[in-house]
Amino acid sequence: MDGGNELIRRAAANPQVLQWHTWASLTPGPSLVILGAVHGNETCGAHAIVRAIDDLQHGRLLLRRGRLTLVPIANPLAFGTNTREGERNLNRRFVPRAEPQDYEDRITRQLAPLLATHDALLDLHSFHTPGDPFAMVGPRNNQGTREPFKRAQEEGELARALGVNQVVEGWLDVYDSAAHARGDTQDDEGIGTNEYMRSQGGYAVTIECGQHEDPAAIRVAERAIRGALALLGMADVPAPSRFAGRAARLKDVFLRESLADELAGDWHSFDVVKAGDLIARRADGSELRAPYDGSVLFPHPEADVGQEWFYLAEPS
Ligand SMILES: [Zn+2]
């Protein structure tokens, strides 16, 4: 087919070398970096990005202003084996270290400074269970110590420009409480690419484009790239239709405490629950009921013991 597959093959050929492509317009404007395959088995972003690279190289897509960096495969080791991780999850402890301890530390040492030279990050992912695509943003503007932030407005606009109709906000607080419940006190654990980007003065949106193997996820990722370029005035491309969807704010996370803990339904992300609805049962028979009207997010029926089992979110 197109040159995309060949570009992918070359980008994944050597897991010891990262590849990215930058176009810099002489007309000033925003700088945007787009990541694919931070998780190696989430390939839609890589496919969408190499198509954009091909379009830029052949003049079918023109950068009007600013600077655009495309990283088709952020984790080539994991991509090559079609697994989520190489030696560990690249989207945790994404903080550059003087003495890298593992493969993902070595990637982070290259990617973190690259991200820091851009205003905005678009991170393209996919998910395990069926469901509709959604975008994730970080905290609201705040001057706290954990994740101080000033660019929630721009971040929200980017999330709503990507052609998906569901936005989830807030993650680090909820993740931190899960980590503490696990007895995990490493503060960097919850820092992924997006949190790092915000820590460097930028803003970041993750888009979950669909189920891992679904070819439609590639089209969702391509539409998201065009949506970001259109919003930022970086290319003359048609913008996806306006966001008319729902926003949810993550509020609670539940860990699986026993392999006999069972979800009470075939939950999908964004399934609506009313206060009092039965969501799951613990091994001892005790019931977990929704404490408020909201929705279930990221259910993982087969989560390992001590891992995130499902999240609850409030309408936002
Ligand atoms: Zn992912």
Side-chain angles (χ1 to χ4, degrees), residues 38-39 41-42 84 89 91 124-127 206 208 212:
V38 163
H39 294 132
N41 61 336
E42 302 177 8
R84 181 176 176 81
N89 188 345
N91 214 16
L124 302 166
H125 288 246
S126 60
F127 47 74
T206 285
E208 299 280 353
H212 296 329

Side-chain angles (χ1 to χ4, degrees), residues 270-302:
F270 289 95
D271 280 350
V272 171
V273 290
K274 294 271 170 222
D277 283 356
L278 179 65
I279 301 176
R281 274 190 198 84
R282 293 291 187 193
D284 65 2
S286 59
E287 295 179 332
L288 295 178
R289 291 183 176 272
Y292 40 81
D293 293 353
S295 52
V296 174
L297 282 170
F298 320 133
H300 189 355
E302 279 95 44

Side-chain angles (χ1 to χ4, degrees), residues 34-50:
I34 305 180
L35 297 180
V38 163
H39 294 132
N41 61 336
E42 302 177 8
T43 58
C44 61
H47 287 281
I49 288 173
V50 293

Side-chain angles (χ1 to χ4, degrees), residues 7-314:
L7 274 168
I8 287 228
R9 201 188 58 71
R10 278 188 258 149
N14 182 353
Q16 297 305 317
V17 177
L18 289 177
Q19 291 189 28
W20 59 75
H21 302 249
T22 298
W23 282 260
S25 169
L26 302 190
T27 305
S31 50
L32 170 68
V33 54
I34 305 180
L35 297 180
V38 163
H39 294 132
N41 61 336
E42 302 177 8
T43 58
C44 61
H47 287 281
I49 288 173
V50 293
R51 289 178 191 181
I53 291 171
D54 204 43
D55 287 345
L56 283 154
Q57 286 177 337
H58 290 91
R60 293 187 295 268
L61 181 61
L62 297 174
L63 182 67
R64 292 291 179 203
R65 63 171 193 153
R67 182 161 43 91
L68 173 64
T69 296
L70 299 173
V71 187
I73 301 175
N75 192 331
L77 178 60
F79 186 88
T81 52
N82 195 32
T83 50
R84 181 176 176 81
E85 313 179 352
E87 295 177 3
R88 66 170 178 85
N89 188 345
L90 177 59
N91 214 16
R92 302 281 184 273
R93 276 185 281 138
F94 190 88
V95 177
R97 271 158 229 291
E99 291 180 24
Q101 301 296 310
D102 54 35
Y103 179 77
E104 277 74 11
D105 276 355
R106 294 196 290 278
I107 294 182
T108 302
R109 200 161 62 157
Q110 296 298 331
L111 282 187
L114 177 72
L115 298 193
T117 64
H118 294 78
D119 297 308
L121 164 65
L122 176 62
D123 200 345
L124 302 166
H125 288 246
S126 60
F127 47 74
H128 180 70
T129 45
D132 293 328
F134 59 91
M136 290 186 73
V137 298
R140 296 178 181 179
N141 286 341
N142 72 90
Q143 299 182 329
T145 52
R146 180 55 168 145
E147 197 179 20
F149 194 44
K150 289 191 283 206
R151 303 185 81 170
Q153 171 89 19
E154 290 161 279
E155 196 170 271
E157 281 172 16
L158 178 58
R160 290 189 298 272
L162 302 178
V164 298
N165 276 321
Q166 300 176 128
V167 171
V168 179
E169 57 170 310
W171 184 74
L172 190 56
D173 280 348
V174 178
Y175 184 85
D176 277 350
S177 43
H180 285 134
R182 274 197 302 261
D184 187 343
T185 50
Q186 247 195 318
D187 242 18
D188 286 351
E189 185 64 22
I191 308 296
T193 54
N194 292 25
E195 291 71 27
Y196 181 76
M197 191 72 187
R198 291 183 200 109
S199 77
Q200 301 299 302
Y203 61 97
V205 174
T206 285
I207 172 166
E208 299 280 353
C209 299
Q211 214 171 355
H212 296 329
E213 307 290 334
D214 186 352
I218 300 175
R219 291 194 290 280
V220 172
E222 288 188 282
R223 199 170 61 203
I225 293 172
R226 289 197 298 273
L229 293 174
L231 173 78
L232 297 172
M234 295 173 72
D236 298 328
V237 287
S241 51
R242 242 185 106 69
F243 180 79
R246 296 171 291 173
R249 183 174 170 77
L250 286 180
K251 197 166 154 71
D252 287 298
V253 58
F254 294 81
L255 305 184
R256 200 161 181 220
E257 294 172 356
S258 154
L259 290 178
D261 286 358
E262 280 194 356
L263 296 181
D266 178 22
W267 298 111
H268 295 163
S269 277
F270 289 95
D271 280 350
V272 171
V273 290
K274 294 271 170 222
D277 283 356
L278 179 65
I279 301 176
R281 274 190 198 84
R282 293 291 187 193
D284 65 2
S286 59
E287 295 179 332
L288 295 178
R289 291 183 176 272
Y292 40 81
D293 293 353
S295 52
V296 174
L297 282 170
F298 320 133
H300 189 355
E302 279 95 44
D304 288 331
V305 169
Q307 296 299 309
E308 295 111 89
W309 192 21
F310 61 90
Y311 288 75
L312 289 181
E314 282 185 316

